Amino acid sequence: MTLPLENGFIRVAGVSGCLALVLGTVWQHGLKKNADPHAIEVYESAKSMHMFSTVGLLAVPFTRHPNVVGCLLSTGMLFFCGSCYTRAITGITWITKVAPLGGLMMMAGWLCMAL
């Protein structure tokens, strides 16, 4: 049995929510104590946006344009949160150059939800 793509976003939300919890736990109980204040701020921002957008993915099947909304939110999370997590954990700074694009994609996803 195949699911329409918009229903697949519920599965993506499930995996994303689990990943957000795992990353938050690993951060809180291990990586955070060795991080500088800026890395902590970056990670906390990524963690919040990750969870908010994951909740947004649960609403994707109920939107008028589910594939557009789901792709924008998912890709935006990957770019924004992924680059921020990478920056905070590894210290690689150039990776955050994709964060603004990810943020814009997440904003567009939320706006498309309203259309």
Side-chain angles (χ1 to χ4, degrees), residues 11-75:
R11 292 178 187 218
V12 172
V15 172
S16 179
C18 181
L19 184 60
L21 290 172
V22 168
L23 289 170
T25 301
V26 169
W27 177 255
Q28 196 64 37
H29 295 286
L31 298 174
K32 185 176 180 180
K33 61 184 166 194
N34 297 327
D36 63 82
H38 182 65
I40 292 171
E41 184 179 334
V42 168
Y43 199 94
E44 295 297 329
S45 176
K47 191 170 68 168
S48 296
M49 295 303 135
H50 188 172
M51 194 52 85
F52 287 134
S53 293
T54 296
V55 172
L57 282 174
L58 293 173
V60 164
F62 306 105
T63 64
R64 288 187 184 188
H65 308 287
N67 295 334
V68 173
V69 173
C71 286
L72 284 169
L73 286 176
S74 299
T75 308

